[in-house]
Amino acid sequence: MTRGRIRAKIRRSHLYTFACIHPHAAAAASSSEGEEPCQFDGPGFSRIVHCNQPKLHEKKPFKYCTNYISTTKYNFLTFLPKALFEQFRRVANIYFLLAAALSLTDIAPFSAVSMIAPLAFVIGLSMAKEALEDSRRFIQDMKVNMHKATYHKGAGVFAHKPWMKLRVGDVVKVEKDRFFPADLLLLSSSYEDGICYVETMNLDGETNLKVKRALEVTLTLDDDASFKEFTGKIKCEDPNPNLYTYMGNFEYAQEVHPLDPNHILLRDSKLRNTAYIYGVVVFTGHDSKVMQNATKSPSKRSRIEKQMDKVIYILFSLLVFISLISSIGFAVNTGYEMPNFWYLRPYVDSKLYDPTRPALSGFYHLITALILYGYLIPISLYVSIEVVKVLQAFFMNQDIHMYDEETGTPAQARTSNLNEELGQVDTILSDKTGTLTCNQMDFLKCSIAGCSYGTRPSEVERAAAKQMAMNLEDDDDPDICQNDIDASQIELETIVTSETENDQRRVIKGFSFEDSRLMKGSWMKEPNSEQILLFFRILSICHTAIPEMNEVTGEMTYEAESPDEAAFLVAAREFGFEFCRRTQSNIYVQERYPSYDNPVEREYKILGLLDFTSKRKRMSVMVRDEDGQIFLFCKGADSIIFDRLARDGRAYEEATTRHLNGYGDTGLRTLALSFRKLDEEEFTSWNGEFLKAKTAIGNDREAMLEKVSDMMEKDLILVGATAVEDKLQKGVPQCIDKLAQAGLKIWVLTGDKMETAINIGFSCSLLRQGMKQICISSTNTDALEQEPKEAIKENILLQITNSSKMISVEKDPHAAFALIIDGKTLVYALEDDVKHAFLNLAVGCASVICCRVSPRQKALVTRLVKEGTGKTTLAIGDGANDVGMIQEADIGVGISGVEGMQAVMASDFSIAQFQFLERLLVVHGHWCYKRVAQMICYFFYKNIAFGLTLFYFEAFAGFSGQAIYDNWYMLLFNVVLTSLPVISLGVFEQDVSSEICLQFPALYQQGPNNLFFDWYRIFGWMGNGLYASIVIFFVSILIFFEEAFRGDGQTADMWTVGSVMFTCIIWGVNVQIALTMSHFTWIQHFIIWGSVVSWYIFLFLYGMLSPVHSGNGYRLLMDVLAPAPKFWVATILVTILCNLPYLTHLSFQRSFRPMDHHVIQEIKYYKKDIEDRTMWNRERSKARQETKIGLSARVDARMRQFKDKLTKKYSTIGVLPSSLSPHH
């Protein structure tokens, strides 16, 4: 409570120039200028909110949507129709529905139960899976909807109720570090002038806190009791997705006040650095801006499933074709042969075979044949795929390598429909904040007076050093002198060593600096101690933070607008300059100077502050020290500061620039620090101009402030620069490197400003020194006054065209380009007449970074990449601002971070950290793609092999419609006898182990290149099925046709031959799947050979039943088949003949045209990876896709520089190793 009272004394608006206006000054200016409220009428501005009177919104026309939100695909009413629609989008299911309906008629060759039961089972199981997955989304939605909100119950009393029960007009109280439950109009806050701090990272990805302010007329509503009689009316714009605009009027106390975006608190943003706020609900639920930016949960289908539909069309065409042949043959037989078959009484039942109307009989037989040959289209394929995908998802969820121990969060496949799509990703579109970064800044290095300080390496330096060390270990080139390598790698060894040495030191959040020259007062012995003193004072004074004492640790902590600013203050504290207090006009710093052991509290009077904005890119504060000297301290982007340096203030510019370039290359965020001494007269004169500009009302206020600020922020003297590390999520650089080696393209879409995005690009090695940056900008257009939009668009198109030409004429094979574009430019770049040129440019670049983009733009960019390239896209993010792109992408991955679960709720897969994406794609994606592709191809093979034997017998039996197999055989074929082996293939198959997948990332490209489900392979498997069907039928017929079969000389009847053929099919297809598998466990052996054994068990048990039930199968195995050697010989012979072509093809391919995984399998089988490490390392280096991003690309560039140096060195002495020659 004490802290709250102290903080409430500070009128925060006094500290700001651009973000906020001093309320009293603004009011005075407003009255003098006669400012009018917003005038608007008509469509788009019809919303009326009665404040503190929510009951008025229970009836039309003021009845608005509730605060209940839903991200599910279905609800109780829509589940049945929508789920059925989803199931019958599958072509095969429509066919089986028609077949099931026709099975109720007389012309069906099978009983109705045998057709309807499998269809109902398949559809029911798939719908149950959909319901289960959607129920999980519903549960997570309800967790959000049931969050408690504090609302005004009436008579000045506040109570709690769930978010989903809030109504428009409710007055709510939100406390520090809580999310806003709806879009609110800010009424008051714990600060007396109504200022509050808001974190919008969930909306736009920005980590900087936003300052919001209440209207002055509502500032008195600062406690619960004050709302007892409060009423008011808001007239404003209708719900819309624009996060950065808001127009409205607030009618209160018989006055009308204009509203703008600074007065609105958006749902899913968080209250920071403010004890509490009061607000009135303006937009609820799906009317809120964050939900307006969301899209409905889409129905996604994998590319394999879409291609599978085309295969089904082909099979259906084949089905119709052979059915037509069968019906024509039947019609001919009916017309010419049927009159001779008097025993069939053809003229009695004239409907099905009437010799006088053969065409009609042929038509009826066409329907019979369509049902009879339906086994060509596998009904169990869909249910098998569903079962396989659910089991695949289960194993993904159980993968211990994707389990985050810190949060206890496992990976979760929220939908299993897209498992195989994980193995075909071409482009990854990633958010930055919370996805790639931790939103934690650490002060790491600095440059003061031209001298660089800080020995601790950044994460990028450590990762690059390890990567280069591994490359050098793998390099077996004897021509490169080992002494030269060792001499050139001293820096790398130092980096790795320093990492080990520093791991034991005390961890200080925000401070990873290590250099004894500056610590514990040692800086006073440095030759440039005066500049170091100024540097520390700038860090401790030039900011807007508030200090708070941590009661647990006893240390001072800081609530700052940005993590960078907090890191500077922590650094200043550790250096001995602790910012300890702030009043309205003073800053107090405990300085360990001139004696480090005896700190002295010094007072600095704040005379003025020019705050940081994305446009200004700098911040300045004017202070008077205890000696009466006035200083201007300024920090900002180096390009901005350097342009404002005095002639005599550039002494350290060259050295500082060199250090800044080095810091930037290692992924650090940099700012330059400078100062200027002011005399009293100069400051007084400037301050008068500044106050005039600050209190001005009108469109030119910003320009006036900028002009006056420029008058002060000039003739600066450079002191130094800071380098802070935006801490990446664990393993991000390595993950990006591995994904790049796997051939994946990576785009970053962030709401952060361009400088921040570029720094992160360097941090995660999407950018590096030597990479040519293409910045597309909408600024600097000459013709803005005449044709603003057209001029900007033409300018952007010209930039895109010129950049594309620059890429096309580039001759250097190692040249790499990075495209950087901001949200304002994207508005034009995404228009229909520009977007294709923009996409072509982006595809030609090694990396793409889009900054300052809105959630809607993220979704539009994702759609452009998805539709423009025609390849699989994956979007990954952690906040509500990422929901649009997650839902728009072919695959959406949510990071279950600390900032809410919106992204996870909208995603298809969720992981706890970005680094797990590597395993999700390179391991599980690769496996799932190959498993699903192989099992589908195998399904088509076995069903063609089985279904065509029915057609052959039809032709053999005069197209009579008679099936050669018992109904139970056909029912059990797909459901029992061949279902489990194909499921085991889809669940357990591994061409290589997970470790090999990660060591050989290029294997992943088998998915995007669709090597296992292209038309060549599909038709190959279908041809294999055709061959197998011919062998099974005709070899069986040749063996048993008119040959003595039983001991008494009897020949085999139809049911005997049918059983033999069916036995050959069971053996043939199960041996085929055994040959297809690369990875065997006891489970596969048990399932495959158990399926074969189960056929004999069924045949035995079926034959033991009464003839009433078993019919022609009575004692068939015991008395007829088992005693006959011919039966066993035929089974073995047909099985060998069926699988001989595949075995021959496999042997030829492995011997003469092996695929990548074949080579790796042989190396592992013969243990060459252990016996011959040189070969193994060589194969590993070959298994990397050529990439221009990632740590490997950074290391390769350094290695090229290193070899160039060696080349020059050897050339001077007239010796050039062969490995360094241009032709090597």
Side-chain angles (χ1 to χ4, degrees), residues 226-287:
S226 60
F227 288 94
K228 183 176 182 180
E229 304 295 336
F230 167 69
T231 58
K233 183 189 289 186
I234 301 171
K235 293 182 180 179
C236 66
E237 61 186 25
D238 293 332
N240 63 77
N242 198 321
L243 295 174
Y244 306 109
T245 63
Y246 181 81
M247 289 182 63
N249 288 331
F250 177 55
E251 299 178 11
Y252 179 63
Q254 299 181 343
E255 292 182 358
V256 180
H257 306 272
L259 301 175
D260 61 45
N262 285 330
H263 301 120
I264 300 300
L265 308 174
L266 300 183
R267 179 184 176 124
D268 283 336
S269 50
K270 182 185 283 189
L271 185 65
R272 291 284 197 182
N273 295 7
T274 311
Y276 61 85
I277 62 98
Y278 290 100
V280 63
V281 177
V282 179
F283 296 119
T284 49
H286 289 275
D287 283 348

Side-chain angles (χ1 to χ4, degrees), residues 71 294-298 300 866 882-889 892 906:
T71 61
T295 54
K296 291 183 179 179
S297 298
K300 298 180 180 180
K866 180 177 70 173
D882 303 316
V883 168
M885 74 171 183
I886 284 174
Q887 293 183 332
E888 185 62 50

Side-chain angles (χ1 to χ4, degrees), residues 102-103 105-111 114-115 367-373 961-963 967 970:
L102 291 171
S103 68
T105 65
D106 296 337
I107 57 178
F110 311 127
S111 65
S114 65
M115 295 300 296
I367 298 174
T368 302
L370 287 171
I371 300 174
L372 179 63
Y373 307 144
Q962 174 64 51
N967 278 357
M970 292 189 284

Side-chain angles (χ1 to χ4, degrees), residues 15-270:
L15 302 179
Y16 294 91
T17 54
F18 296 92
C20 304
I21 308 171
H22 189 300
H24 296 298
S30 172
S31 60
S32 63
E33 295 289 329
E35 183 184 18
E36 294 294 330
C38 301
Q39 298 296 327
F40 45 75
D41 291 297
F45 296 94
S46 62
R47 196 173 189 89
I48 297 177
V49 178
H50 296 278
C51 303
N52 210 19
Q53 297 174 291
K55 291 185 177 180
L56 294 179
H57 298 287
E58 294 178 355
K59 298 180 180 179
K60 292 183 178 180
F62 303 124
K63 187 175 182 180
Y64 305 120
C65 74
T66 66
N67 205 37
Y68 176 87
I69 60 116
S70 172
T71 61
T72 59
K73 291 169 63 176
Y74 312 104
N75 59 39
F76 182 77
L77 296 177
T78 63
F79 174 73
L80 190 61
K82 287 182 72 174
L84 285 173
F85 171 75
E86 288 293 322
Q87 295 307 312
F88 288 106
R89 285 171 67 185
R90 294 169 169 171
V91 193
N93 285 347
I94 297 177
Y95 163 75
F96 286 114
L97 179 64
L98 295 174
L102 291 171
S103 68
L104 299 171
T105 65
D106 296 337
I107 57 178
F110 311 127
S111 65
V113 174
S114 65
M115 295 300 296
I116 295 173
L119 178 66
F121 176 74
V122 169
I123 298 295
L125 192 64
S126 298
M127 290 175 64
K129 184 181 79 74
E130 286 283 312
L132 177 64
E133 291 176 347
D134 211 48
S135 67
R136 293 171 184 160
R137 296 190 185 95
F138 173 76
I139 291 170
Q140 288 182 328
D141 285 343
M142 289 309 297
K143 286 181 180 177
V144 175
N145 288 323
M146 294 305 293
H147 285 170
K148 295 298 182 183
T150 305
Y151 78 107
H152 183 223
K153 188 177 180 180
V157 177
F158 279 70
H160 298 288
K161 69 177 176 181
W163 277 19
M164 65 180 186
K165 292 189 177 180
L166 283 179
R167 292 171 293 179
V168 172
D170 270 329
V171 172
V172 296
K173 181 179 183 180
V174 180
E175 296 180 339
K176 181 184 173 183
D177 294 332
R178 296 296 182 93
F179 289 101
F180 300 119
D183 289 354
L184 311 176
L185 169 65
L186 176 61
L187 298 175
S188 62
S189 75
S190 56
Y191 298 114
E192 68 174 48
D193 48 2
I195 297 297
C196 75
Y197 289 90
V198 175
E199 182 186 271
T200 60
M201 190 170 67
N202 253 355
L203 304 180
D204 54 21
E206 289 198 33
T207 56
N208 289 352
L209 301 185
K210 310 295 189 302
V211 181
K212 300 289 184 176
R213 57 188 173 87
L215 291 168
E216 187 175 8
V217 293
T218 60
L219 295 182
T220 55
L221 303 170
D222 57 357
D223 59 18
D224 294 357
S226 60
F227 288 94
K228 183 176 182 180
E229 304 295 336
F230 167 69
T231 58
K233 183 189 289 186
I234 301 171
K235 293 182 180 179
C236 66
E237 61 186 25
D238 293 332
N240 63 77
N242 198 321
L243 295 174
Y244 306 109
T245 63
Y246 181 81
M247 289 182 63
N249 288 331
F250 177 55
E251 299 178 11
Y252 179 63
Q254 299 181 343
E255 292 182 358
V256 180
H257 306 272
L259 301 175
D260 61 45
N262 285 330
H263 301 120
I264 300 300
L265 308 174
L266 300 183
R267 179 184 176 124
D268 283 336
S269 50
K270 182 185 283 189

Side-chain angles (χ1 to χ4, degrees), residues 402-411 434 438 729-730 894-901 904 910-916:
M402 294 196 296
Y403 175 78
D404 184 39
E405 294 184 357
E406 292 183 11
T407 60
T409 307
C438 303
Q729 297 270 4
K730 183 180 178 182
I895 302 284
S896 25
V898 296
E899 299 300 332
M901 296 290 287
V904 170
S910 69
I911 51 180
Q913 296 183 31
F914 183 88
Q915 65 170 334
F916 297 147

